[in-house]
Amino acid sequence: MFFNKSLRTSDSHPVEDGSAPIYVTGITPLGVFLGTQLQLSGKRVIMVDTPEKTAAFHRSELVCRDERTLKSCRISFNSTATPDEDAAYLFICPSPQNRFSLLTLLPHSHFTGAGIINFDSAGNSEKLMELFKAPVINAYFKGCLEYRPEQLTVLDNSTVLTLTLSDSDERARGIRSLFEKSGLEIVTRYDNAANFWTHFIPDTLAGLT
């Protein structure tokens, strides 16, 4: 597989420095993928995880290789274990080992006005709503990602993000606008049970690897 010359984030995708941050909880394959797509779309992204993980990840340069476009880029993130700004959005992409332990340590006051998107299919959205005192949007991802320190590879030619919202919901339009420069396909289906069972087996197998 051949990739074109790597570009740094700042080469063609300046980040909106003055905007409210988008927090992505979980330095996981999905979390890093979403963070990369958001930052390449010019959004201000801060990764959130344990102090040990964020210390190794903070501002380290990551190579992202994308087989959908045969392009690669080099990107670095800010990261923290203790968010200290009001968020525009919170994307929840935890590892199975710390589903709720990390979330309970977050200062919930910074997320009361944020859009909260939950990719943890085994998580309880009602518990999350009680935790953050805000609506939670359940979401699901279809695609194949490989992540190891300093490199993320998008292996699938089709990556799809499914939101449990109606297509006319303003929140769906808002989330689509976040990724408008990324090429990520975003669909809506207002049936969480159907969305869950569609993704249950792939998510379960991924959690076992």
Side-chain angles (χ1 to χ4, degrees):
M1 185 63 65
F2 295 93
F3 292 88
N4 71 347
K5 181 181 178 182
S6 294
L7 297 175
R8 296 180 188 276
T9 306
S10 58
D11 290 341
S12 56
H13 302 277
V15 174
E16 301 168 354
D17 288 331
S19 59
I22 297 173
Y23 288 102
V24 179
T25 299
I27 298 177
T28 60
L30 178 56
V32 173
F33 171 75
L34 293 175
T36 298
Q37 300 305 305
L38 288 163
Q39 193 152 303
L40 289 176
S41 295
K43 307 307 177 187
R44 182 173 166 234
V45 178
I46 300 176
M47 304 296 296
V48 181
D49 212 302
T50 62
E52 294 77 16
K53 283 192 174 183
T54 55
F57 193 78
H58 186 68
R59 293 194 178 278
S60 62
E61 192 168 73
L62 175 77
V63 176
C64 179
R65 298 181 180 275
D66 193 334
E67 290 192 357
R68 300 171 304 168
T69 60
L70 300 184
K71 292 182 179 179
S72 65
C73 67
R74 295 180 181 274
I75 190 167
S76 61
F77 291 99
N78 286 323
S79 62
T80 183
T82 54
D84 59 1
E85 297 181 66
D86 290 345
Y89 286 90
L90 171 65
F91 286 80
I92 300 173
C93 312
S95 64
Q97 293 77 20
N98 65 354
R99 277 202 163 95
F100 284 106
S101 60
L102 181 60
L103 294 175
T104 55
L105 297 176
L106 297 179
H108 304 142
S109 60
H110 288 311
F111 301 101
T112 53
I116 299 176
I117 301 96
N118 173 40
F119 285 89
D120 180 12
S121 60
N124 186 322
S125 58
E126 292 182 359
K127 185 179 293 186
L128 291 173
M129 285 190 280
E130 182 181 343
L131 196 63
F132 291 105
K133 310 299 182 187
V136 174
I137 301 165
N138 287 324
Y140 302 85
F141 176 78
K142 178 185 177 183
C144 187
L145 307 170
E146 180 183 70
Y147 173 66
R148 59 180 185 269
E150 301 182 358
Q151 183 167 307
L152 172 74
T153 304
V154 183
L155 298 169
D156 202 329
N157 288 328
S158 175
T159 53
V160 182
L161 190 162
T162 300
L163 303 173
T164 306
L165 292 171
S166 66
D167 200 50
S168 60
D169 195 309
E170 286 289 342
R171 294 174 295 173
R173 286 196 282 269
I175 295 168
R176 280 198 174 102
S177 71
L178 297 178
F179 294 96
E180 60 187 352
K181 299 177 184 177
S182 72
L184 177 63
E185 182 182 357
I186 298 178
V187 300
T188 57
R189 182 166 62 170
Y190 194 61
D191 185 339
N192 191 60
N195 291 339
F196 173 83
W197 287 111
T198 298
H199 295 82
F200 176 75
I201 293 176
D203 284 356
T204 301
L205 292 175
L208 295 175
T209 58

